[in-house]
Amino acid sequence: MKRIIEEKLRDWKLSSIRKPLLVRGARQVGKTHTIENFGNSKFTGKTSVFNFERNPEFREIFKANLDPKRIIGELELIIGQQIIPGSDLLFFDEIQDCPEAISALRYFYEEFPELHIIGAGSLLEFGLQQISVPVGRIQSLNMHPMNFVEFLWATGKETLADRLLQGSKKFSSIEINIINKELEKYFLIGGMPECIQAFAQNNSYQQVVDIQTDLLSMFRQDFPKYVGRSDKDC
């Protein structure tokens, strides 16, 4: 599904003053999918993904020291290929589970500025509490649930979405009625990509409600974990 943040990712890739990028956002807003799709479509080489939640053993790589050359060498052993600056994307997913990896970003910037690196995670603030943030050595982007324009793109209303983006000064009464009908759908479905994708494929509000219920349950399960961290840090 098309996301507006893709334009900002392209700008970051092409920038002459590019730094390692942290993409922040809640769970299930589409960070992983968007970044992997960006890497696969906009880089001539490969996208190497290291997920610290799915593979906690990756964290050990960063605990010895933060030497970028050593780290890159061990990552290359894991994937069995060289990581090539300038053509490859190095993606650290769920990076909040490895604060040392966040700290390492400054050294990647200083010693491998030509390497494209993105870290993404949910509630990154908890990971950042455990380290000295490398100020001036990283860039940040916030990713949110899908907005109304992105909803229209995903549900086959590209023309209407483009009209809204153009900032037309005046809409006809017919256009306003169409916009209002689509807004009503959007308010019911919400901006979570999984819900929008299910509705776009099956046109089923019941399936959307089932997904929303599952997502709410997952978020509730996360609350004690993050509250525990906050209390401990205080």
Side-chain angles (χ1 to χ4, degrees):
M1 290 186 287
K2 185 177 178 181
R3 303 298 300 269
I4 290 175
I5 197 174
E6 292 172 6
E7 297 179 7
K8 296 181 179 179
L9 292 173
R10 285 195 293 269
D11 291 342
W12 167 81
K13 177 183 183 293
L14 298 174
S15 174
S16 61
I17 55 172
R18 183 188 63 255
K19 302 173 183 178
L21 180 66
L22 280 180
V23 178
R24 309 183 185 200
R27 285 186 182 273
Q28 301 299 313
V29 298
K31 299 185 299 298
T32 299
H33 174 79
T34 299
I35 294 169
E36 288 187 353
N37 183 64
F38 167 70
N40 293 332
S41 61
K42 301 302 179 182
F43 284 80
T44 57
K46 62 187 173 301
T47 299
S48 299
V49 183
F50 296 89
N51 187 309
F52 294 108
E53 181 179 69
R54 183 178 301 168
N55 300 100
E57 66 273 15
F58 293 161
R59 306 174 200 173
E60 297 300 319
I61 297 173
F62 295 83
K63 291 186 176 179
N65 58 57
L66 300 181
D67 176 21
K69 291 182 180 179
R70 180 194 61 79
I71 292 171
I72 288 292
E74 294 195 21
L75 296 178
E76 289 176 336
L77 287 175
I78 291 173
I79 63 174
Q81 301 179 70
Q82 281 189 309
I83 296 171
I84 303 174
S87 64
D88 291 356
L89 173 65
L90 180 57
F91 176 25
F92 295 139
D93 202 6
E94 302 297 348
I95 196 173
Q96 78 281 350
D97 284 350
C98 184
E100 295 86 356
I102 302 175
S103 296
L105 294 179
R106 67 166 295 175
Y107 301 106
F108 279 105
Y109 169 68
E110 293 170 355
E111 299 184 31
F112 288 94
E114 68 277 18
L115 181 60
H116 292 78
I117 304 178
I118 297 180
S122 308
L123 295 175
L124 266 170
E125 287 71 20
F126 292 100
L128 295 174
Q129 288 175 4
Q130 304 176 45
I131 65 169
S132 176
V133 181
V135 178
R137 298 294 188 272
I138 59 173
Q139 296 174 238
S140 291
L141 276 179
N142 291 314
M143 188 168 183
H144 305 285
M146 297 175 72
N147 62 26
F148 183 50
V149 168
E150 292 170 326
F151 168 79
L152 292 174
W153 281 335
T155 53
K157 306 296 190 303
E158 294 90 350
T159 301
L160 180 57
D162 293 341
R163 283 291 308 278
L164 291 173
L165 285 175
Q166 290 170 6
S168 175
K169 294 181 179 179
K170 186 176 181 180
F171 290 100
S172 69
S173 58
I174 292 176
E175 290 172 322
I176 291 173
N177 287 336
I178 294 172
I179 291 170
N180 287 337
K181 288 179 181 179
E182 296 303 321
L183 270 174
E184 183 178 355
K185 294 178 185 177
Y186 177 65
F187 291 153
L188 290 171
I189 296 165
M192 300 306 280
E194 186 179 1
C195 295
I196 294 175
Q197 185 177 38
F199 183 79
Q201 292 176 346
N202 304 308
N203 201 37
S204 169
Y205 285 103
Q206 183 57 55
Q207 189 171 2
V208 170
V209 170
D210 292 341
I211 294 171
Q212 290 172 337
T213 301
D214 290 340
L215 289 172
L216 284 172
S217 177
M218 180 190 66
F219 291 144
R220 290 192 182 100
Q221 291 173 11
D222 277 349
F223 290 159
K225 176 172 60 177
Y226 291 118
V227 169
R229 288 187 187 183
S230 180
D231 291 344
K232 183 178 179 180
D233 291 334
C234 293

